[in-house]
Amino acid sequence: GMPGLQDFDPKGAKPHSPDKDYANIIQLGLGMTDRKLARIMADRAYGIMTPLVDWSGEIFPRQWGMKSHGIPIVFGLTRMVRRSGVEVLESTMITHLLKEDGRIAGAVGVNEETGAVVVIEAGAVFLGTGGKAGLFKHTTAGPECTGDGHAMAYRAGAQLMNLEFKQVFPGTIYPTINHFSAWWFVPHVRIYNARGEEYIDKYLPDGITREMVYSQRRKHGPFSVRDSASRYFDVATMKETKAGNANKHDALYIDLTDPRVKDPLTQARGEYFHYRGIRYLEEPIEFNICFHCSNGGIRIDENAQSISVPGLYAAGEVAAGMHGANRMAGHMLSASQIFGAIGGKHAAGITAGLKRPALRPATIGEAVDEIAWFRSMKGGEKPAAVTRDLQELAWNTMLVDVNESLLEGAVSAIADLRASRLTRLDVESPGDLVKTMELHNLLTAGDLLARATRMRKESRGDMYREDYPDRDDANFNRVILVDRDGDSPRLSTEVIDPEWEDREATLDGFRWG
């Protein structure tokens, strides 16, 4: 009963099946998914994503990913916003959420070009700020993902969930940064370090062979510990980099230049990599392990509203619950649209005709004073230098290859950066101010990520701990929640999916990442 679905399906994929989607989301979530939100994702995908086709281009119905990965959606929605008469504040960074009587009453921001402070009165605020990829030196995400939404919501008293779960992919590092999946695990591939050594065997435990690693790793793009061996590709690459064996671009090599290698890509995809300067059959690919996507964030209800701060809405990487310890390919793109549509309508409906909570001068003053304090700093170094050190630290301590002492080190090093260097920056221009506020947010997001990862003493989905390599359902079939308690975070756990049981076999052969 879905007429026309074939018309915009370039691959002849099977028609969208909400029940199958839902079952896959729950299975991949490994007990970390809010079933209510997963059901909404599965049931509303068709109705919400289909109109985007008319505005935008082509969709793959099976997982609601999109050709050109969301760029057509951006063009389509931008056109609609321009027509709608909505006021758009270009080049403005929102820095503070404002609350009165426990609910959202507005926001404060800074114009990135002039440095002028902007105060917005609002009955609701919708966050679509993306994730915390800017914490890591290697990421496939854009430069705007600086944890702003996570940090602002946390400071405003919103409960966060599943922060420790993230998508991590291998990516090209040079000459351009590109996310690439697992298509290059083919016969005759060679993977080696800057010294020309094939390094993966060095890191394999007894009973695990390189062939096992490659054959399992080929089945999913993102890093995951769902299987027994694939993790060692990513772990070995991280360790090799930390050991100083990467090249001057901080990359290692995937070499497909053996004449026996058959081109694993379709023509269109191959052309894309060529256009990006990646001649994957002619010269080795320079790659490393990259943070891709945050799967946790603000805990929302079925209306995309924060469960703890009325009037605060969130969708996409800044929201949590519709994914879990792993997620389906294409589902972050669709989650942003589905919960964006649901939350936008709800926020507009709830606030229509309501008298907005009056903003007291003291509430605005606090935010404005903090911005003025950052602006007045005349210290010794630019925010970019501190940010680079934070990105190096986070990549080395919180990605893929993680253990208690690394996480302990991350928490104390972040506290140290905050105390000794955030307060002594040189802020001359509006650009410096923005970069300083972003660093402030990244330090908060990084601290929360380190604490949540440290609390989960097991490996599950896309979170691997070397010191706790197995999944521990008896103790950790529970989500980790983060709330603000005075000036410090309070972590707690909750069973969110008591019915969850492992039906891994149902995913057999299903490419989920």
Side-chain angles (χ1 to χ4, degrees), residues 73-85:
I73 291 181
V74 173
F75 289 151
L77 290 177
T78 304
R79 213 165 60 240
M80 295 315 230
V81 168
R82 283 204 189 107
R83 285 181 194 166
S84 71

